[in-house]
Amino acid sequence: MPVNILAISGSTRLQSTNHTLIHIIAELYAGTVNITHFEGLSTLPHFNPDLDNNTPPPAVTAFWEQLRAADAVLICTPEYAMGVPGSLKNALDWLVSSMELSKKPVALITASSMGEQAHASLTGTLLVIEANLPEASRLLISFVKAKVKDGKITDESTLQQVKSVMASLLYCIS
């Protein structure tokens, strides 16, 4: 039975490098892993504790259901203004009390021009909400546009690092 991974891009731009990375990873693991790209990041309402209850907005409920159905989560994100993209942080805020990521295997790939600030912040947030995020499931790809071109990872070292992160994620599922 194939493994089901929910992939979340921290970018809402359809032609983003992080969307491309998810597509590349899905192709690399086709036939072994089902990777579903979460399409609802930009449709999640702003987090509001008053709505974070047993009847949250429908978009939030759908997000939670997709997370429950997934064996693991892959997050690929850029860094915006030296921090976490707002839409991604908003999505994670909806998971604090629902505990949908608690003990769930997660891989985090931060792919940006620099990325250190967002990567550190996201790592902290994911650990606080109890995601199963070992060091081997984390990757920072700085200067990503020099390493991912024309729908391919052109840097061999980066390709091997991506494969190592995925191996760690798959190990956490087993």
Side-chain angles (χ1 to χ4, degrees), residues 2-139:
V3 171
N4 293 307
I5 296 176
L6 183 63
I8 302 170
S9 173
S11 176
T12 54
R13 192 169 57 87
L14 293 178
Q15 300 302 318
S16 77
T17 304
N18 285 280
H19 284 275
T20 300
L21 274 171
I22 289 170
H23 180 73
I24 292 167
I25 293 167
E27 284 183 357
L28 284 171
Y29 291 88
T32 309
V33 174
N34 290 329
I35 296 180
T36 303
H37 194 154
F38 176 64
E39 302 288 344
L41 191 67
S42 62
T43 64
L44 289 172
H46 294 292
F47 176 73
N48 180 340
D50 291 336
L51 301 176
D52 189 16
N53 53 41
N54 292 334
T55 55
V60 175
T61 301
F63 180 43
W64 290 350
E65 288 171 0
Q66 288 183 356
L67 287 165
R68 281 185 212 117
D71 299 308
V73 175
L74 168 64
I75 299 172
C76 292
T77 186
E79 176 179 78
Y80 289 156
M82 303 296 286
V84 177
S87 296
L88 178 59
K89 179 62 169 88
N90 183 60
L92 294 176
D93 286 345
W94 280 109
L95 305 179
V96 173
S97 66
S98 74
M99 301 297 289
E100 297 304 331
L101 284 187
S102 181
K103 310 301 181 218
K104 185 158 306 259
V106 175
L108 171 61
I109 299 175
T110 306
S112 201
S113 294
M114 298 297 281
E116 294 92 355
Q117 301 294 326
H119 194 69
S121 180
L122 280 168
T123 297
T125 298
L126 290 166
L127 292 175
V128 163
I129 59 177
E130 299 180 350
N132 180 0
L133 181 68
E135 185 71 36
S137 294
R138 305 175 210 167
L139 175 61

